[in-house]
Amino acid sequence: MQVLISCPYPLDSSHGNVVSARRWEGVIGEAGFEVRVEEGWGGEGAKVLVALHAVRSAGVVKRFRERCPTGKVVVVLTGTDLYGDLLDESSVAHEVLKWADGLVVLNEVALSRMPLGYRQKTRVIGQSVELPDLGEGEREVVPTFAVVGHLREVKRPFLAVEALQKREGFAARVWQVGGEREVGFGERAREWEAEEGRYCWWGGMEREEALRLVVRSWAVVNSSRMEGGSNALLEAMILGVPVLASRIDGNVGLLGGDYAGYFEEGDEEELGVLMERLVEDEIFQMRLRMQMEARVCLFTRALEVEGWREMLEGLI
């Protein structure tokens, strides 16, 4: 085996890391390498182990180093690595970075957050997404904001409905798309449905179904506290659906530093102002679309394939 991708989550789950691992399996295959994805590592030798998430893959990386001493290791850093574990110098994440022969981050902003000693072996490889044929979708008559992502604390999933609730006369809706990932969040979503008639939780959905809701929406809201690089945000960019996003590194790395649709993380009042502006101001909508269009060329399949080809050819 030339390349083995190790994912820390079950491959039949809808976790973002699994989506990324499956995409990289195709990308690396297109780059000309024999490749397979595994949950963890079953012990088979490989010329290169590509491990997702420094902390969650620490045991796999250590065992691979011990059992395959001539093999190379590439670690793809996630948002929780960059903006959580690496802030603690005693974290196992720093040991994993030392063991790695190469490191991958998803955008230039993430590279700037890497500890200086590791930047030389770090490569920026922008992610890409392949969209199914969604046909012609008409935007909802009632202004609708879609929040797409599993319900868990780090995503701050209810910020949009919190902003909506404070605007009693605002004729808009919030659609929440995503399954319960942490205990209690599903119950809270049902409570919000009872409290706020303009809010609907659709629960977990197949990707194509979720994308059809996105196409019908006026905007997508990404209110994450911490993000490595959101697939849902990139999908919205490609579809031309405006995005309102928390000003965090993972979002700025995709949308650019001068994007006009940012709000400060956790600020429901600022988000609410942007939601109202988007509904009332067509020029603002157009500006957001133009800014996104200027960025999507940085996250193409061809660039992602070439990035992985150059990374792996330098190691094998």
Side-chain angles (χ1 to χ4, degrees), residues 284-302:
F284 181 56
Q285 295 178 30
M286 186 180 301
R287 181 183 177 189
L288 296 183
R289 289 193 184 97
M290 291 176 64
Q291 287 183 310
M292 293 190 306
E293 185 178 353
R295 294 284 297 178
V296 293
C297 62
L298 302 176
F299 305 101
T300 66
R301 183 81 168 194

Side-chain angles (χ1 to χ4, degrees), residues 124-189:
V124 177
I125 303 179
Q127 61 187 343
S128 66
V129 294
E130 298 290 308
L131 296 178
D133 182 8
L134 300 173
E136 294 294 327
E138 293 188 10
R139 191 170 73 167
E140 291 288 302
V141 175
V142 177
T144 303
F145 296 85
V147 183
V148 183
H150 296 300
L151 304 188
R152 56 195 184 109
E153 178 60 30
V154 73
K155 299 292 185 182
R156 192 68 184 266
F158 303 120
L159 192 71
V161 67
E162 290 169 6
L164 183 65
Q165 189 181 53
K166 291 187 175 182
R167 287 162 168 74
E168 293 184 4
F170 187 28
R173 298 180 298 194
V174 169
W175 283 348
Q176 188 96 46
V177 181
E180 182 182 47
R181 183 53 61 83
E182 293 176 1
V183 176
F185 278 78
E187 181 181 355
R188 184 61 185 134

Side-chain angles (χ1 to χ4, degrees), residues 19 129-132 205-212 235:
V19 174
V129 294
E130 298 290 308
L131 296 178
M205 305 178 74
E206 294 294 328
R207 178 172 178 251
E208 187 167 330
E209 290 181 277
L211 288 172
R212 291 187 189 281
E235 287 168 345

Side-chain angles (χ1 to χ4, degrees), residues 91-112:
S91 168
V92 68
H94 284 268
E95 290 300 309
V96 176
L97 265 58
K98 292 176 185 176
W99 296 333
D101 299 287
L103 302 167
V104 172
V105 295
L106 302 180
N107 57 68
E108 295 289 348
V109 176
L111 179 62
S112 72

Side-chain angles (χ1 to χ4, degrees), residues 116-283:
L116 287 173
Y118 301 114
R119 291 185 192 177
Q120 187 173 358
K121 62 179 179 180
T122 303
R123 185 178 185 90
V124 177
I125 303 179
Q127 61 187 343
S128 66
V129 294
E130 298 290 308
L131 296 178
D133 182 8
L134 300 173
E136 294 294 327
E138 293 188 10
R139 191 170 73 167
E140 291 288 302
V141 175
V142 177
T144 303
F145 296 85
V147 183
V148 183
H150 296 300
L151 304 188
R152 56 195 184 109
E153 178 60 30
V154 73
K155 299 292 185 182
R156 192 68 184 266
F158 303 120
L159 192 71
V161 67
E162 290 169 6
L164 183 65
Q165 189 181 53
K166 291 187 175 182
R167 287 162 168 74
E168 293 184 4
F170 187 28
R173 298 180 298 194
V174 169
W175 283 348
Q176 188 96 46
V177 181
E180 182 182 47
R181 183 53 61 83
E182 293 176 1
V183 176
F185 278 78
E187 181 181 355
R188 184 61 185 134
R190 292 304 183 201
E191 290 173 353
W192 269 116
E193 285 189 313
E195 292 175 27
E196 177 53 72
R198 295 169 292 175
Y199 171 82
C200 176
W201 177 39
W202 292 81
M205 305 178 74
E206 294 294 328
R207 178 172 178 251
E208 187 167 330
E209 290 181 277
L211 288 172
R212 291 187 189 281
L213 290 184
V214 169
V215 169
R216 289 163 53 192
S217 302
W218 286 48
V220 166
V221 176
N222 182 301
S223 49
S224 289
R225 301 176 186 272
M226 185 187 302
E227 192 83 71
S230 166
N231 285 316
L233 190 155
L234 187 56
E235 287 168 345
M237 291 171 65
I238 294 171
L239 291 169
V241 178
V243 171
L244 303 178
S246 52
R247 190 186 292 274
I248 59 172
D249 282 358
N251 292 340
V252 174
L254 290 177
L255 293 163
D258 61 349
Y259 185 67
Y262 291 127
F263 55 91
E264 292 306 313
E265 188 275 310
D267 192 334
E268 72 270 15
E269 178 60 28
E270 190 175 6
L271 171 56
V273 169
L274 283 174
M275 291 165 71
E276 290 185 323
R277 183 181 177 189
L278 185 135
V279 170
E280 298 167 359
D281 188 345
E282 291 187 5
I283 293 177

Side-chain angles (χ1 to χ4, degrees), residues 1-18:
M1 179 63 59
Q2 287 184 298
V3 180
L4 195 150
I5 300 173
S6 173
C7 181
Y9 298 97
L11 299 184
D12 59 355
S13 74
S14 59
H15 196 283
N17 281 178
V18 177

